[in-house]
Amino acid sequence: MKLLRSLMPVVILLTSAAYAFAQKQPQPTCPLKQAPEFNGFQIGMAMPEVKDKLADTSLFDSKFSTGSKTGAQAVRISGTELKDEYAEGVDDVNLTFVDKRLAVIRLTYHSGAGNWLGAQDFFKQLSAKMGLPPPSSSNSTGGRGGEKYRVDCMGFNVTLAYSFGVSPSVTIAD
């Protein structure tokens, strides 16, 4: 009888934990095996490949930040500097290279550039364009205008940010 009384709290605790665990919604799995190409840019691209996306390539090398001890370099490219097929609605593209390979892409749109009807529509359209799972409460955060949608995939992640429609952005990171 004493053994039963001493085990009862443990049984209740384990039952409660199992119930709580069963209630959590699983994160949608990312079907992508590699980061998607976005607006002409792809994680892993070499610097010359990125340079080819510019209308005038002569200033590309001078735009880089000085290299860090880790081999990382960053460059900001204005949307007006891109070739026409990559420039529509783009305010700027911030790129980070590690060991001369593209590791982070952050593309920011002009306010009002797309035909998005709010944050959820922006998330839905861009996630479909990239082949990502649709936005849900488990992978979207924020509210009151400052919202984010994030998907973690094998080897990379994608974050879409929409803050009152001002400069919506897409970040793809290795």
Side-chain angles (χ1 to χ4, degrees):
M1 190 65 154
K2 286 184 180 184
L3 180 63
L4 184 60
R5 284 186 191 166
S6 62
L7 288 178
M8 189 57 77
V10 172
V11 170
I12 292 172
L13 181 65
L14 290 174
T15 304
S16 299
Y19 179 77
F21 182 73
Q23 294 301 313
K24 287 187 178 181
Q25 293 179 340
Q27 283 262 14
T29 58
C30 179
L32 302 178
K33 302 297 180 211
Q34 66 178 21
E37 177 184 331
F38 192 75
N39 238 52
F41 298 100
Q42 174 93 39
I43 295 295
M45 288 176 87
M47 288 181 176
E49 294 173 289
V50 170
K51 192 176 184 177
D52 288 341
K53 308 299 179 198
L54 303 179
D56 177 9
T57 60
S58 63
L59 297 176
F60 182 71
D61 294 328
S62 66
K63 294 174 113 348
F64 276 94
S65 64
T66 58
S68 70
K69 291 179 182 180
T70 62
Q73 291 179 290
V75 63
R76 181 188 170 278
I77 301 169
S78 171
T80 60
E81 297 174 82
L82 296 170
K83 288 182 178 175
D84 289 341
E85 61 263 31
Y86 307 116
E88 187 177 345
V90 175
D91 184 26
D92 64 23
V93 181
N94 291 286
L95 305 171
T96 303
F97 292 84
V98 176
D99 295 330
K100 301 192 188 274
R101 291 282 179 187
L102 189 55
V104 179
I105 304 163
R106 184 172 192 274
L107 185 140
T108 305
Y109 290 100
H110 291 289
S111 299
N115 57 353
W116 308 299
L117 303 173
Q120 291 305 312
D121 191 42
F122 174 72
F123 298 160
K124 183 179 175 185
Q125 285 187 38
L126 271 81
S127 63
K129 180 180 177 178
M130 291 187 277
L132 298 169
S136 68
S137 60
S138 65
N139 58 13
S140 298
T141 60
R144 298 186 175 188
E147 300 175 58
K148 288 187 177 183
Y149 162 69
R150 180 181 166 113
V151 176
D152 292 313
C153 300
M154 185 64 74
F156 69 96
N157 65 62
V158 178
T159 303
L160 307 178
Y162 191 93
S163 183
F164 297 104
V166 178
S167 303
S169 67
V170 176
T171 304
I172 303 173
D174 187 6

